[in-house]
Amino acid sequence: MTLYQCLLLNNPCLKAGRPLKPRGIVVHSTGANNPNLKRYVQPHAAQESGMGQVFPTALSWSRETILKRLGTNTNSNDWNRTISPAVCVHGFVGRMADGTVASVQTLPWDIRCWGCGSGPKGSYNESHIQFEICEDGMEDPAYLEQAWWEAVELCVYLCRTYSIPVSAIRSHAEGHRDGYASNHGDPDHWFKRFGKTMDDFRADVTRALAPASPFPAAVQKRFQLSDETMRYLQGYRFAEALLQKLAELP
């Protein structure tokens, strides 16, 4: 995971500053054919703080530096302003200016967002960190794969930071079915096109949270396997036993 920060200081949600004690995570997707982070995330014209890199190294950046990394939105339709309907989330996953896929934090994690609306039982806005995955045209499996693993790693980071159980990771669609969100189908509709589900997503988060095993790295190095092949092997039901045998072959 690469996690940057560009806080949306001019969004009324951040200005409201209602405190949040995170107990879960809601995963959204944007519903528009634009995978570029710059569409949604920009520093405002006079911004001097809340910009930089969070992970793997904490760095503070100038407005010019973050714009160079994000790219510039010349359409003035980013979310660092008052927008209608009023909406704001804690972060986005999508493409940087150089085409790499990364995460950007846009609200402090402990401030309530305006992300999922409400349902008959209340709203996950009151309890959940929420982020958007920037959709493309939903026809590119390579982009979804990159965004999927970036989102998985972001959830791992948040679960570890706030002791959030994996079972509390929900999609917007699941939030609606739970009774705590408005009626949306994201990102399930996108995942489904490529044979993926939120259960698969949570399973990948669970595997990533597991204590590190020495066997995957040993097998990958010994047999010169790609990251994609390693993910396939690690998805096998008896992966740990298989990798141990492969690592210990004479």
Side-chain angles (χ1 to χ4, degrees):
M1 177 189 69
T2 304
L3 176 59
Y4 301 106
Q5 184 183 75
C6 183
L7 297 183
L8 304 181
L9 299 180
N10 273 356
N11 190 292
C13 179
L14 193 150
K15 292 180 178 181
R18 296 182 63 200
L20 171 71
K21 184 176 181 180
R23 300 197 301 273
I25 299 168
V26 175
V27 182
H28 299 262
S29 62
T30 53
N33 182 6
N34 192 335
N36 300 307
L37 287 162
K38 68 180 182 180
R39 160 63 179 86
Y40 305 96
V41 185
Q42 295 278 276
H44 69 72
Q47 191 158 336
E48 296 181 350
S49 63
M51 300 171 291
Q53 182 173 282
V54 178
F55 186 87
T57 304
L59 300 169
S60 294
W61 285 347
S62 66
R63 183 175 182 275
E64 290 72 21
T65 300
I66 193 69
L67 277 174
K68 185 178 294 185
R69 298 298 181 96
L70 288 169
T72 301
N73 181 343
T74 59
N75 296 320
S76 299
N77 61 349
D78 60 86
W79 287 16
N80 202 356
R81 62 189 70 242
T82 300
I83 56 177
S84 181
V87 64
C88 198
V89 291
H90 292 93
F92 288 82
V93 170
R95 283 196 175 123
M96 302 290 283
D98 63 1
T100 59
V101 174
S103 305
V104 180
Q105 180 189 6
T106 50
L107 284 179
W109 306 121
D110 58 356
I111 294 295
R112 297 184 192 185
C113 76
W114 299 341
C116 67
S118 60
K121 296 181 181 179
S123 176
Y124 279 153
N125 290 343
E126 306 295 319
S127 55
H128 284 50
I129 293 171
Q130 301 181 44
F131 66 88
E132 297 269 2
I133 307 175
C134 299
E135 286 185 22
D136 62 353
M138 300 194 301
E139 299 294 340
D140 183 359
Y143 172 65
L144 176 59
E145 189 76 3
Q146 290 176 301
W148 174 281
W149 287 105
E150 182 68 22
V152 164
E153 290 172 4
L154 178 58
C155 285
V156 168
Y157 171 82
L158 294 171
C159 286
R160 285 177 173 157
T161 302
Y162 292 100
S163 300
I164 295 171
V166 175
S167 60
I169 300 173
R170 312 297 288 165
S171 68
H172 192 157
E174 289 176 322
H176 173 67
R177 294 196 292 271
D178 295 342
Y180 293 93
S182 58
N183 188 6
H184 281 229
D186 60 299
D188 303 47
H189 69 296
W190 183 14
F191 293 173
K192 184 179 179 180
R193 291 174 71 93
F194 295 94
K196 294 178 178 287
T197 68
M198 280 301 296
D199 285 338
D200 297 328
F201 185 88
R202 283 184 287 267
D204 283 336
V205 175
T206 297
R207 281 190 284 269
L209 282 166
S213 165
F215 304 125
V219 169
Q220 185 169 23
K221 181 178 180 180
R222 181 173 185 178
F223 296 99
Q224 298 295 297
L225 301 177
S226 68
D227 290 344
E228 183 179 0
T229 300
M230 289 305 302
R231 284 196 290 268
Y232 176 81
L233 288 174
Q234 288 174 281
Y236 176 55
R237 183 179 178 185
F238 303 106
E240 184 68 10
L242 172 63
L243 291 170
Q244 182 176 356
K245 288 182 179 179
L246 290 172
E248 295 175 349
L249 283 174

